[in-house]
C-alpha cells in the first residue's frame, strides 16, 4: 500500500499512479495499491478498513516531517483499533536516499541544466516543514551539490512553513554572480506547492518533480522489502 499526501490537483494523483505502474513493472508478484492521507481518493483510512490480510504501508514521502511522524501512524493505529485483525507494517519514508538525488539531478538535466556551468545558480526547492530535521536534509543536499557540480551556487528554498523562501534563495544566488537561475524540484508530484515555487522563480528554468523516475520506483520497492524483512507483520 503506497501512500502519498494527496492534492486537489489531479496531476498529483496521476503522477502517483504512474509511479505505482513503474513499481508494478518491477514487482509483478506484488499486489500494489495506492492511497492518500488527505484531499485525494482513495483515502488510506478507507482502504485499510477494507483490507483483508497483511498490509505493508510504504509512505511516498521524501522526508520524516509531520505527515510521516504523526498523521500516518495515527491513521494506521486508528484502523487497527477499528479492525483488531488488521496486520500492518509501516515502511520508512523514501528519503534520504542518493537515488532520489539522482532523480532530481536527472530532471534538472532534462530541463537543460548541466553540471559545470558556472553561470547557473541552482535553487533546490522543497515543501518545508515545522520539523527542523526534515528541513536540514534539504540543506545537506544543497551543500553537497554546491561542492560537487561547479555551478555558481546551490541554495535550498522552501514553499511553506520555514525559510529561506524561493525569492530569498534566488537573490542570494544573484549576489554570488549567477547569471541564470534554475530550480531543482524536491517534490514527488505536481501540485499547489510546486506551482507556487515556479511562480516565485519567474524567468528561471524549473525542473519537473521526481514523479515516476526509475530510481524513485526502485526506492519504493526497497522500502517495501526492508519493512517486510524487519520482522513479522503486527496486529
Amino acid at each position: 500500500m503506497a501512500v502519498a499526501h494527496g492534492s486537489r490537483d489531479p496531476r498529483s494523483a496521476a503522477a502517483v499512479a504512474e509511479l505505482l505502474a513503474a513499481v508494478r513493472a518491477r514487482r509483478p508478484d506484488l499486489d500494489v495499491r495506492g492511497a492518500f492521507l488527505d484531499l485525494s481518493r482513495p483515502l488510506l483510512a478507507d482502504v485499510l478498513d477494507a483490507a483483508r490480510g497483511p498490509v505493508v504501508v510504504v509512505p511516498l514521502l521524501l522526508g520524516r516531517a509531520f505527515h510521516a511522524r504523526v498523521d500516518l501512524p495515527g491513521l494506521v493505529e486508528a484502523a487497527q483499533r477499528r479492525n483488531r485483525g488488521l496486520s500492518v507494517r509501516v515502511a520508512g519514508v523514501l528519503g534520504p536516499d542518493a537515488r532520489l538525488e539522482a532523480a532530481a539531478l536527472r530532471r534538472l538535466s532534462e530541463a537543460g541544466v548541466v553540471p559545470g556551468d558556472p553561470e547557473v545558480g541552482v535553487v533546490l526547492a522543497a515543501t518545508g516543514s515545522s520539523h527542523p530535521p526534515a528541513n536540514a536534509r534539504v540543506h545537506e543536499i544543497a551543500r553537497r551539490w554546491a561542492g560537487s557540480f561547479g555551478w555558481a551556487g546551490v541554495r535550498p528554498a522552501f514553499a511553506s512553513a520555514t525559510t529561506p523562501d524561493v525569492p530569498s534563495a534566488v537573490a542570494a544566488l544573484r549576489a554570488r554572480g549567477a547569471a541564470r537561475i534554475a530550480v531543482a524540484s524536491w517534490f514527488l508530484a505536481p501540485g499547489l506547492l510546486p506551482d507556487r515555487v515556479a511562480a516565485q522563480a519567474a524567468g528561471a528554468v524549473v525542473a519537473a518533480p521526481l514523479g515516476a523516475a526509475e530510481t524513485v520506483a526502485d526506492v519504493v520497492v526497497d522500502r517495501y522489502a526492508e519493512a517486510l524483512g524487519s520482522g513479522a507483520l503486527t496486529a
Side-chain angles (χ1 to χ4, degrees):
M1 182 63 59
V3 182
H5 178 271
S7 170
R8 293 184 178 88
D9 188 329
R11 295 175 300 164
S12 177
V16 171
E18 187 179 358
L19 174 58
L20 296 190
V23 172
R24 291 186 189 97
R26 282 157 174 72
R27 288 294 303 269
D29 56 310
L30 296 180
D31 180 4
V32 178
R33 305 186 190 186
F36 300 90
L37 296 174
D38 197 9
L39 301 176
S40 301
R41 296 291 187 275
L43 292 173
L44 175 63
D46 296 335
V47 176
L48 288 179
D49 285 348
R52 299 293 180 267
V55 178
V56 176
V57 172
V58 180
L60 300 182
L61 303 170
L62 300 182
R64 279 190 53 78
F66 185 86
H67 297 302
R69 295 182 300 105
V70 179
D71 284 347
L72 180 56
L75 288 168
V76 170
E77 290 171 8
Q80 289 179 310
R81 286 195 298 270
R82 291 190 298 270
N83 181 358
R84 295 294 182 180
L86 179 63
S87 296
V88 181
R89 182 165 292 277
V90 179
V93 297
L94 302 184
D97 194 293
R99 291 169 293 181
L100 300 180
E101 293 184 46
L105 289 166
R106 180 175 179 179
R107 294 293 187 232
L108 202 55
S109 176
E110 290 168 352
V113 180
V114 296
D117 189 337
E119 293 190 347
V120 173
V122 174
V123 176
L124 178 60
T127 298
S129 172
S130 58
H131 186 54
N135 302 323
R137 296 291 187 186
V138 181
H139 282 270
E140 290 170 8
I141 295 168
R143 284 193 295 270
R144 187 158 52 247
W145 288 11
S148 301
F149 296 115
W151 290 310
V154 182
R155 290 288 187 274
F158 302 95
S160 64
T162 190
T163 56
D165 60 11
V166 171
S168 298
V170 170
L173 290 167
R174 294 287 191 198
R176 286 181 57 89
R180 301 191 304 278
I181 302 297
V183 179
S185 180
W186 199 246
F187 297 97
L188 185 67
L192 172 65
L193 294 183
D195 283 355
R196 180 184 300 171
V197 164
Q200 291 177 338
V205 172
V206 180
L210 307 186
E214 292 182 359
T215 52
V216 179
D218 289 338
V219 175
V220 175
V221 170
D222 283 356
R223 295 294 177 266
Y224 163 82
E226 290 162 4
L228 200 62
S230 64
L233 292 168
T234 58

